[in-house]
């Protein structure tokens, strides 16, 4: 192994380590990896003067951000938003309501719809749209959401395997195939071994089409959805099952107390903000009670007056200490106040922190800044359990459930702008039916243009987006709202890292090592090992990053064996999409962590047998649809 290969291997090992550590978000880790390669290239060429390096060209280090895979992923996310705006998903969800009476039919119907939607739109977006429907129907049927949400999340992941646009790994693998075969064709002009290899394969070219993944991914998804809907939910431990409905997560009367300010109270004359700081932010004032009994939201700069009454959020364990130190007193008729607390000026909402939320990785200070202090954080629950630590110290994660208080419509607007997902029961608002058909028609036309090679997939989808904007289905304000920018940055930064694997010859080294140690292992065994290794990585790091790293290794093994790269690429695509063992492996898994009340160890109970089933079923399907040695 030469120095260049050692640097690439070191950068990838460091990247995997940072991904698994989780201190920094995956897009930041990807940029660190890209910059490390640039530094390595500069050191080799400018300091050590070892001649031209194959690591990376600093002038083209950012070319990955213009890569077709990056643009396609972004386009799919925007189209997902347009389909949501048109009312397609809400229309389907309304049809699901009558099926919820029977538990098995309830779970199965939600899983099937999630899988179908995820085949044609972002699977995280599909889950986010169906999550409130699942919670509402579970509450109506007095059914534990724990039994429903994990099968729903897994079905969303499985559905993404059906088409090329269903999940970022499929898009990456599709475009990688085209670029890899193009590079091989260029090498064949001067290398007779490569030329003979391509001839034996029938000189393949191009990318995987829209439905080239379906013969494998579709059957695997069907098999997986059947498992999670019929058997998988029964594997969830009974002691982990949360009570029905979301109302059990926060009991307001455990957090809210009415207090009165006597004349001798030491808080008199201080601002509400100063009172909160003086109590170590253990008590939060969120409602001022007028003489007529109406509750209004106060400004944190308002002064505390004697004989005033407030609604405060405070843990019962801290309340007595604060009262003893400050002279505050409990007010009367709290029970009556609790019954009428939700009025025009005081509204509560349980919301979920999504992967695209502006609060992700931030604290309460960011919530206050973005809402100008008009929204109050009352409580936070993680993995179904309310957190008792100081709210100001909590760093929000995907799947956290927040109890917010604010002013009527303003609260709803802030929830939307912060990309939070309301978990309260809601009425489905179906879009204009004429736009539903138009939206589906435009999307179908884009798929047809791609299928029949009239336009590349990326350009066909960009055309669909333009049509959505012109027809008003996709307002300009929503154009970029659904794009998961950290994923876009991850792809743009990791594509050059993936290229360095091939350019330095490291993939050939790894392939040689595998070939020399395979012993009597059959070809299908190597394929299965590649898939299992990819699955394992996908359970701890982002699936797009997994695909970018494992795809070059897969085709390198195929080249050493003289086999077609297609089955190995398909094995990587399937493996990268199967992150079922942990809540951190896929955003869908993280999204249900709070509402479902799951623990970290609950995922593998359903996920492990599902992954075993997928490996056992997909390897024969891959070899049947994509033979190792075509024509033999």
């Amino acid at each position: 192994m030469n120095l260049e290969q050692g640097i690439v291997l070191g950068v990838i090992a460091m990247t995997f380590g940072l991904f698994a550590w989780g201190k920094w978000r995956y897009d930041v880790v990807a940029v660190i990896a890209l910059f490390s390669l640039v530094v390595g290239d500069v050191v080799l060429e400018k300091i050590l003067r070892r001649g031209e390096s194959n690591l990376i060209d600093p002038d083209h280090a950012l070319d990955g951000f213009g890569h077709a895979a990056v643009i396609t992923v972004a386009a799919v996310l925007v189209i997902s938003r347009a389909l949501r705006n048109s009312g397609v998903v809400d229309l389907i969800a309304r049809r699901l309501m009558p099926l919820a009476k029977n538990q098995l039919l309830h779970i199965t119907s939600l899983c099937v719809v999630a899988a179908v939607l995820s085949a044609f739109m972002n699977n995280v977006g599909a889950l986010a749209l169906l999550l409130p429907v699942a919670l509402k129907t579970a509450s109506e049927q007095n059914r534990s959401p724990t039994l429903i949400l994990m099968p729903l999340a897994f079905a969303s992941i499985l559905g993404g395997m059906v088409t090329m646009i269903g999940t970022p790994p499929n898009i990456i693998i599709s475009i990688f195939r085209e670029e890899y075969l193009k590079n091989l064709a260029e090498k064949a002009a001067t290398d007779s071994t490569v030329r003979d290899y391509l001839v034996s394969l029938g000189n393949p070219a191009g990318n995987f089409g829209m439905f080239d993944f379906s013969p494998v991914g579709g059957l695997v998804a069907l098999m997986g959805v059947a498992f999670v809907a019929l058997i998988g939910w029964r594997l969830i431990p009974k002691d982990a099952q949360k009570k029905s409905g979301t109302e059990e997560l926060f009991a307001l009367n455990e957090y809210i107390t009415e207090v009165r300010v006597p004349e001798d109270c030491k808080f008199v004359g201080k601002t509400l903000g100063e009172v909160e700081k003086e109590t170590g932010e253990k008590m939060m004032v969120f409602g001022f009670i007028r003489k007529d009994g109406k509750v209004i939201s106060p400004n944190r700069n308002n002064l505390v007056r004697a004989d005033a009454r407030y609604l405060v959020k405070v843990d019962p364990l801290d309340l007595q200490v604060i009262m003893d130190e400050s002279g505050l007193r409990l007010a009367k008729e709290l029970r009556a106040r609790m019954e009428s607390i939700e009025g025009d000026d005081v509204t509560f909402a349980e919301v979920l922190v999504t992967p695209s939320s502006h609060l992700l990785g931030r604290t309460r200070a960011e919530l206050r800044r973005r809402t100008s202090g008009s929204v109050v954080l009352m409580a936070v629950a993680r993995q179904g359990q309310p957190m008792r630590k100081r709210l100001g110290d909590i760093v929000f994660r995907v799947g956290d459930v927040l109890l917010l208080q604010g002013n009527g419509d303003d609260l709803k607007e802030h929830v939307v702008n912060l990309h939070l997902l309301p978990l309260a029961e809601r009425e489905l608002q179906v879009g204009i039916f004429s736009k539903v058909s138009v939206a589906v028609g435009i999307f179908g036309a884009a798929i047809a243009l791609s299928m029949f090679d009239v336009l590349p997939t990326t350009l066909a989808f960009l055309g669909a987006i333009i049509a959505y904007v012109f027809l008003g289905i996709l307002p300009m304000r929503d154009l970029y709202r659904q794009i998961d920018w950290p994923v876009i940055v991850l792809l743009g930064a990791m594509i050059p890292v993936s290229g360095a694997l091939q350019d330095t010859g490291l993939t050939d080294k790894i392939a040689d090592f595998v070939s020399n140690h395979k012993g009597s292992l059959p070809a299908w065994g190597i394929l299965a090992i590649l898939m299992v290794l990819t699955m394992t990585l996908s359970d701890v790091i982002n699936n797009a990053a997994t695909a970018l790293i494992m795809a070059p290794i897969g085709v390198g093994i195929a080249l050493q064996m003289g086999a077609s790269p297609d089955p190995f690429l398909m094995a990587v695509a399937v493996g990268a999409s199967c992150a079922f063992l942990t809540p951190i492996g896929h955003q869908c898994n993280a999204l249900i962590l709070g509402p479902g009340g799951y623990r970290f160890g609950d995922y593998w109970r359903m996920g492990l047998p599902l992954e075993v089933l997928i490996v056992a079923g997909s390897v024969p399907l891959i070899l049947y649809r994509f033979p190792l040695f075509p024509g033999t």
Side-chain angles (χ1 to χ4, degrees):
M1 180 179 294
N2 59 36
L3 184 57
E4 289 180 354
Q5 294 169 349
I7 291 175
V8 174
L9 188 61
V11 168
I12 291 175
M14 174 196 70
T15 304
F16 282 163
L18 292 177
F19 276 136
W21 185 25
K23 180 176 178 59
W24 295 311
R25 203 170 58 193
Y26 48 77
D27 54 322
V28 176
V29 174
V31 172
I32 291 173
L34 176 62
F35 189 73
S36 298
L37 282 183
V38 172
V39 171
D41 184 86
V42 170
V43 169
L44 289 178
E45 291 190 7
K46 303 295 177 64
I47 298 178
L48 299 181
R49 300 187 181 279
R50 295 174 63 94
E52 187 175 354
S53 166
N54 290 319
L55 278 179
I56 194 172
D57 183 351
D59 293 333
H60 297 280
L62 301 180
D63 286 358
F65 291 93
H67 194 273
V70 177
I71 307 300
T72 304
V73 169
V76 170
L77 294 173
V78 175
I79 288 175
S80 296
R81 181 72 189 190
L83 292 174
R84 173 182 178 178
N85 288 353
S86 72
V88 172
V89 179
D90 281 345
L91 182 61
I92 296 172
R94 184 182 291 274
R95 300 291 187 267
L96 291 179
M97 295 298 187
L99 302 177
K101 294 181 179 180
N102 178 275
Q103 178 167 304
L104 185 60
L105 194 57
H106 185 197
I107 297 174
T108 302
S109 60
L110 282 170
C111 289
V112 169
V113 171
V116 172
L117 290 176
S118 296
F120 299 101
M121 63 186 294
N122 175 255
N123 47 22
V124 178
L127 175 62
L129 290 170
L130 290 174
L131 189 56
V133 178
L135 290 171
K136 179 176 181 177
T137 51
S139 178
E140 289 176 346
Q141 300 300 324
N142 196 29
R143 193 167 292 144
S144 172
T146 309
L147 298 175
I148 298 171
L149 295 189
M150 190 177 292
L152 180 62
F154 284 8
S156 300
I157 298 173
L158 288 164
M161 301 166 63
V162 177
T163 66
M164 188 263 282
I165 63 171
T167 184
N170 284 6
I171 296 173
I172 292 167
I173 293 298
S174 175
I175 296 175
F176 177 86
R177 179 186 193 265
E178 181 177 25
E179 294 179 347
Y180 174 71
L181 293 177
K182 183 179 179 180
N183 291 336
L184 280 185
E186 293 175 355
K187 290 181 180 179
T190 56
D191 190 328
S192 59
T193 303
V194 174
R195 183 166 59 250
D196 293 341
Y197 170 67
L198 287 176
V199 170
S200 69
L201 300 180
N203 290 312
N207 60 358
F208 285 126
M210 179 68 66
F211 295 102
D212 284 345
F213 293 87
S214 301
V216 175
L219 292 174
V220 169
L222 183 62
M223 183 171 53
V225 168
F227 171 79
V228 299
L230 300 177
I231 301 173
W233 61 270
R234 305 176 194 273
L235 303 178
I236 299 173
K238 289 186 178 181
D239 60 352
Q241 294 177 20
K242 181 183 162 188
K243 294 181 180 179
S244 63
T246 59
E247 69 279 0
E248 303 292 340
L249 197 54
F250 300 113
L252 292 179
N253 58 4
E254 293 182 5
Y255 292 87
I256 298 174
T257 302
E258 183 179 333
V259 296
R260 178 175 57 86
V261 183
E263 291 185 359
D264 59 349
C265 178
K266 73 174 186 178
F267 292 150
V268 174
K270 297 181 179 180
T271 67
L272 297 181
E274 290 172 340
V275 169
E276 291 177 3
K277 288 183 179 178
E278 193 165 323
T279 61
E281 297 190 338
K282 294 178 180 178
M283 184 179 75
M284 186 179 303
V285 182
F286 73 92
F288 171 71
I289 305 172
R290 301 193 319 193
K291 291 184 178 180
D292 60 4
K294 188 175 182 180
V295 180
I296 61 174
S297 298
N299 189 302
R300 295 178 73 248
N301 293 320
N302 289 350
L303 297 177
V304 175
R305 296 178 300 179
D307 295 325
R309 291 178 299 162
Y310 296 95
L311 285 177
V312 298
K313 181 268 174 186
V314 58
D315 191 290
L317 298 177
D318 298 322
L319 178 59
Q320 189 61 51
V321 176
I322 294 173
M323 290 172 58
D324 292 341
E325 292 179 352
S326 66
L328 276 179
R329 294 291 180 266
L330 287 175
K332 299 178 180 179
E333 300 177 353
L334 176 60
R335 183 179 300 276
R337 185 79 60 202
M338 291 301 303
E339 293 175 355
S340 60
I341 193 172
E342 290 203 40
D344 293 334
D345 295 302
V346 179
T347 304
F348 294 90
E350 284 183 336
V351 297
L352 185 67
V353 178
T354 66
S356 60
S357 173
H358 296 303
L359 298 183
L360 187 61
R362 305 296 184 90
T363 64
R364 184 180 61 183
E366 181 70 7
L367 172 66
R368 286 180 171 175
R369 185 184 71 81
R370 287 185 174 270
T371 63
S372 300
S374 63
V375 172
V376 177
L377 177 66
M378 304 293 295
V380 179
R382 182 168 292 164
Q383 298 184 36
Q385 297 297 321
M387 301 181 68
R388 297 294 181 181
K389 64 190 295 187
R390 288 178 56 181
L391 293 180
D393 296 334
I394 296 174
V395 177
F396 300 128
R397 301 179 186 171
V398 175
D400 283 353
V401 181
L402 315 182
L403 177 63
L404 303 181
Q405 178 270 327
N407 188 318
D409 294 336
D410 289 342
L411 178 58
K412 294 179 181 178
E413 182 179 350
H414 287 308
V415 167
V416 172
N417 292 336
L418 291 170
H419 293 189
L420 299 169
L421 180 65
L423 293 184
E425 295 183 2
R426 66 184 181 110
E427 291 298 324
L428 296 174
Q429 297 179 349
V430 181
I432 302 173
F433 282 85
S434 61
K435 289 193 175 182
V436 170
S437 58
V438 170
V440 174
I442 291 172
F443 186 45
I447 292 177
L449 290 173
S450 172
M451 285 178 59
F452 295 106
D453 293 328
V454 177
L455 285 175
T457 302
T458 306
L459 294 179
F461 285 172
L462 290 178
I465 292 171
I466 292 172
Y468 287 142
V469 172
F470 282 165
L471 294 173
I473 297 174
L474 187 66
M476 294 298 292
R477 67 177 180 273
D478 289 344
L479 191 57
Y480 303 114
R481 180 175 288 180
Q482 195 73 11
I483 295 179
D484 191 348
W485 291 109
V487 170
I488 299 302
V489 173
L490 167 77
L491 291 174
M494 287 300 294
I495 284 172
V497 177
S498 175
L501 267 173
Q502 302 171 75
D503 295 340
T504 60
L506 183 57
T507 53
D508 294 335
K509 285 285 185 182
I510 296 173
D512 285 341
F513 177 82
V514 173
S515 298
N516 293 334
H517 291 79
K518 68 179 183 179
S520 58
L521 197 65
W524 64 264
I526 297 177
L527 200 67
I529 290 174
L530 178 67
M531 184 183 295
V532 170
L533 179 59
T534 307
M535 281 182 173
T536 303
L537 291 176
S538 190
D539 277 317
V540 293
I541 70 174
N542 182 274
N543 56 7
T546 300
L548 285 168
I549 296 301
M550 295 305 296
I553 295 175
V555 295
I557 295 173
L559 183 62
Q560 289 295 323
M561 295 174 58
S564 169
D566 289 351
F568 292 87
L569 288 175
M570 277 292 165
V572 171
V574 171
S577 297
C578 294
F580 301 115
L581 300 186
T582 68
I584 63 174
H586 197 283
Q587 292 175 334
C588 286
N589 293 346
L591 202 58
I592 62 167
L593 190 61
Y598 299 109
R599 298 167 299 194
F600 195 95
D602 291 335
Y603 286 79
W604 70 267
R605 296 174 183 271
M606 189 195 307
L608 183 58
L610 176 59
E611 290 195 358
V612 171
L613 180 66
I614 289 173
V615 172
S618 60
V619 170
L621 285 172
I622 290 173
L623 292 176
Y624 177 78
R625 178 62 180 83
F626 302 97
L628 285 170
F629 305 100
T632 60

